Amino acid sequence: MEHVAPPAWVMLAYLISGVFFISALRGLSSPATSQRGNRFGMAGMLIAVVTTLVTHEVASLPEILGAIAIGGGIGWVTARKIAMTDMPQLVAAFHSLVGMAAVLVAAAAFLNPVAFGIVDADGLINPVSRVEMGLGIAIGAITFSGSVIAFLKLAGKMSGAPILLPLRHVINLTTLAAILGLIGYFTVDQSPWIFWTVTALAFLIGFLLIIPIGGADMPVVVSMLNSYSGWAAAAMGFTLHNTAMIITGALVGSSGAILSYIMCKAMNRSFISVIAGGFGAEAAATGGPAKEQRPWKRGSAEDAAYMMQQAESVIIVPGYGMAVAQAQHILREMADVLKKQGVSVKYAIHPVAGRMPGHMNVLLAEAQVPYDEVFELEDINSEFAQTDVAFIIGANDVVNPAAKTDKTSPIYGMPVFDVDKAKTVFFIKRSMGGVGYAGVDNDVFYMDQTMMLLADAKKMCEDIVKALQH
Amino acid sequence: MDFISILSIFVMACFVGYYVVWSVTPALHTPLMAVTNAISSVIIVGALIAAAADGSTTAKWLGLIAVALASVNIFGGFAVTARMLAMYKKKER
């Protein structure tokens, strides 16, 4: 049985669905058009689902509607209840579901190829379709197991520290080569064992790839898995000759790839070195040169309140520590009080602040910080030199001047905020003991104009707000 | 459709994706991930075909599970994106 081309209107419907998905992403170019974009996305999905249901003989409509209701209900409730700080792990969990769905669809296509119209005259699966299915199930399985590990690390259910197996590069490359080799062999031999071995190896390599990657590299991992989930959908789109799936897969695949690239660039690290993993672990293991005790100044909430009231301009630099302490709401209150007293307040966001791209922006939006007060690195960095106060809350490596000056530093070359140029720096940190993710000391702690505010970020902001209102 | 036409659509869509995603403002990168999550669940099309077909009971059940998983993502992804986007407000003047 050859692949029968569906009627023209069906192809057109899937094409429209694909175009709607493009519009959904296009809407995100500005917050003003983004909600309309999201509705385009929903419409595109509805078109794709309805078209599929009306063009196939559906033998089991009640079961299908039941599955949609159960899954949809779970998804909807989760989306309503989830705290914004938990967004990175939610996204990782969602990626794992796309991966698993791709695995299941590819498996179903292998078990019932006639339903998918991919068999040739002899009743065998077309060789091209076999490659597409093999790639689909492999990418899907990698997406699934990788996302599960990323989810566990992000949710704190597993240590965020890199786990380094001996010979891991050899194991990974061998596994990858085995997967590709077996998919190649699958075109001449359609035996089930090949298909299932590919699946098992792909689950394994997804797991192996993510366990050596540490917590702060998660923005790259989450973006990369995002990309994989897209390529998995595209591979299945090739199998099904479905335009909507191919367009979407390509969009999502490039989206994740671009985000990974932006994240890597913001850390001045190559994609390969992030994927090879183990960053931070090695620096911590060698311990670095013995640290001399250097003098630093401790400030109080009252000091911070006083200095900021006197200031003309304050730039707030939030980092992952703000998310952990859930300090975004009280931080915005602090900014409101200052603004009422005539102080200009801006927020400066580093591309890799937090655990996923745009993490800080969402948290600030949740705390009702207007998005036109929030600036990206390159837009605001020149302003630190004219700023009275830089207020650092839960960030560390992204303000470390060693990235500009110290060629031996593991973060050398990473673009950082020039907070050292501000007249006064307040640095909220829980204690002087801990260092940033990269495990390097930060000269900002010891500058003359720096005052360390050693406390939980939320508690410190509350105290500052109290002091400001006196 | 022959393989080459499908490949052409794919390659063009990659280019479209490249330009569209670069135009997304960095402030919306988290909603971008959430919405790409939702739309990549268009894989539900494949799941529906498997679930709807006669022939293999196993394939049908795999399809139904995939429909449920993809639905979690579709409803969850769009809903959480909508929730996030509703939070982005301009300064009141």
Side-chain angles (χ1 to χ4, degrees):
Chain A
M1 191 169 78
E2 277 297 304
H3 196 89
V4 190
W9 75 266
V10 177
M11 314 248 284
L12 211 56
Y14 285 128
L15 181 63
I16 291 171
S17 156
V19 172
F20 275 20
F21 290 145
I22 297 174
S23 312
L25 298 198
R26 187 75 188 93
L28 292 174
S29 57
S30 130
T33 55
S34 59
Q35 285 174 295
R36 196 181 57 201
N38 198 35
R39 287 193 284 274
F40 266 113
M42 295 182 207
M45 190 61 75
L46 190 68
I47 295 173
V49 169
V50 171
T51 309
T52 311
L53 285 177
V54 299
T55 50
H56 288 81
E57 278 194 35
V58 182
S60 49
L61 194 61
E63 287 104 313
I64 288 178
L65 294 178
I68 294 180
I70 294 170
I74 296 173
W76 200 74
V77 171
T78 316
R80 293 298 296 250
K81 292 213 164 142
I82 190 93
M84 283 299 143
T85 37
D86 293 340
M87 202 50 68
Q89 50 267 45
L90 180 74
V91 167
F94 279 169
H95 287 157
S96 75
L97 296 182
V98 180
M100 195 34 125
V103 169
L104 294 174
V105 172
F110 180 68
L111 295 172
N112 192 4
V114 178
F116 286 79
I118 49 174
V119 286
D120 60 18
D122 305 325
L124 292 170
I125 302 175
N126 298 323
V128 178
S129 300
R130 290 184 215 171
V131 175
E132 293 157 358
M133 278 163 60
L135 286 176
I137 203 162
I139 303 172
I142 293 173
T143 311
F144 174 76
S145 54
S147 300
V148 167
I149 301 298
F151 167 79
L152 292 174
K153 287 194 172 198
L154 288 165
K157 295 189 163 90
M158 181 178 162
S159 159
I163 298 166
L164 302 174
L165 297 176
L167 289 176
R168 61 181 197 281
H169 298 313
V170 179
I171 300 175
N172 288 350
L173 289 175
T174 316
T175 315
L176 197 65
I179 291 173
L180 292 175
L182 283 170
I183 292 175
Y185 185 57
F186 193 47
T187 55
V188 288
D189 180 356
Q190 198 191 302
S191 314
W193 74 265
I194 302 175
F195 191 69
W196 302 122
T197 311
V198 166
T199 315
L201 287 176
F203 276 123
L204 178 72
I205 199 172
F207 171 79
L208 290 173
L209 274 176
I210 309 303
I211 53 165
I213 304 182
D217 279 341
M218 279 302 152
V220 182
V221 170
V222 175
S223 317
M224 182 185 82
L225 292 166
N226 182 235
S227 178
Y228 288 177
S229 67
W231 303 129
M236 295 319 298
F238 273 95
T239 310
L240 299 177
H241 294 213
N242 184 297
T243 329
M245 277 167 89
I246 291 170
I247 295 179
T248 317
L251 284 179
V252 178
S254 7
S255 164
I258 291 171
L259 289 176
S260 311
Y261 169 80
I262 295 174
M263 297 299 118
C264 286
K265 204 156 172 260
M267 296 194 289
N268 190 37
R269 300 185 52 210
S270 72
F271 187 67
I272 300 292
S273 79
V274 172
I275 295 313
F279 187 64
E282 281 144 36
T286 54
K291 260 177 249 159
E292 64 205 289
Q293 284 291 325
R294 286 194 280 171
W296 50 276
K297 278 192 295 239
R298 179 167 189 159
S300 66
E302 288 72 25
D303 296 334
Y306 177 77
M307 293 296 287
M308 288 197 282
Q309 273 170 325
Q310 303 302 314
E312 266 177 46
S313 53
V314 173
I315 298 180
I316 298 171
V317 184
Y320 183 57
M322 180 191 79
V324 175
Q326 299 264 22
Q328 65 272 29
H329 299 279
I330 189 75
L331 180 70
R332 196 258 310 150
E333 266 181 55
M334 184 189 93
D336 282 352
V337 178
L338 287 171
K339 279 194 283 180
K340 252 183 227 140
Q341 302 184 356
V343 184
S344 137
V345 181
K346 288 177 179 172
Y347 298 80
I349 311 272
H350 195 278
V352 291
R355 287 292 184 264
M356 72 184 291
H359 191 186
M360 292 296 122
N361 302 80
V362 171
L363 293 182
L364 292 178
E366 185 201 14
Q368 293 166 355
V369 172
Y371 61 79
D372 36 7
E373 286 176 11
V374 181
F375 295 88
E376 304 301 322
L377 174 69
E378 60 268 32
D379 298 329
I380 199 166
N381 215 8
S382 58
E383 290 186 29
F384 280 100
Q386 291 94 45
T387 294
D388 298 314
V389 176
F391 187 86
I392 301 158
I393 170 167
N396 190 350
D397 291 338
V398 299
V399 297
N400 193 338
K404 292 182 283 185
T405 51
D406 180 5
K407 287 203 168 127
T408 61
S409 170
I411 57 170
Y412 180 72
M414 170 172 155
V416 290
F417 289 117
D418 296 330
V419 293
D420 47 330
K421 292 187 181 151
K423 290 198 189 76
T424 308
V425 178
F426 286 102
F427 207 122
I428 301 189
K429 206 168 172 306
R430 254 188 299 215
S431 71
M432 285 304 285
V435 283
Y437 173 68
V440 284
D441 208 4
N442 193 337
D443 282 338
V444 172
F445 303 159
Y446 313 105
M447 296 189 313
D448 285 339
Q449 72 267 42
T450 303
M451 279 200 242
M452 301 300 295
L453 305 173
L454 300 183
D456 172 72
K458 191 173 175 187
K459 178 80 183 37
M460 179 53 71
C461 290
E462 282 167 1
D463 291 346
I464 295 176
V465 170
K466 266 185 227 144
L468 281 172
Q469 283 163 338
H470 268 287
Chain B
M1 272 192 293
D2 60 285
F3 181 76
I4 292 300
S5 343
I6 299 176
L7 189 66
S8 319
I9 295 174
F10 177 70
V11 173
M12 292 302 146
C14 284
F15 276 95
V16 172
Y18 179 86
Y19 289 106
V20 170
V21 172
W22 272 114
S23 77
V24 172
T25 168
L28 293 177
H29 276 165
T30 297
L32 170 68
M33 302 201 88
V35 82
T36 49
N37 228 310
I39 66 173
S40 58
S41 302
V42 71
I43 199 150
I44 196 173
V45 167
L48 288 170
I49 295 173
D54 279 326
S56 159
T57 319
T58 323
K60 178 184 141 184
W61 279 101
L62 292 179
L64 282 173
I65 298 171
V67 168
L69 295 182
S71 304
V72 173
N73 243 333
I74 293 170
F75 284 79
F78 283 125
V80 87
T81 309
R83 209 181 123 199
M84 279 192 276
L85 293 176
M87 298 187 315
Y88 283 81
K89 298 252 156 55
K90 246 190 145 91
K91 213 181 297 186
E92 288 162 28
R93 286 177 211 277

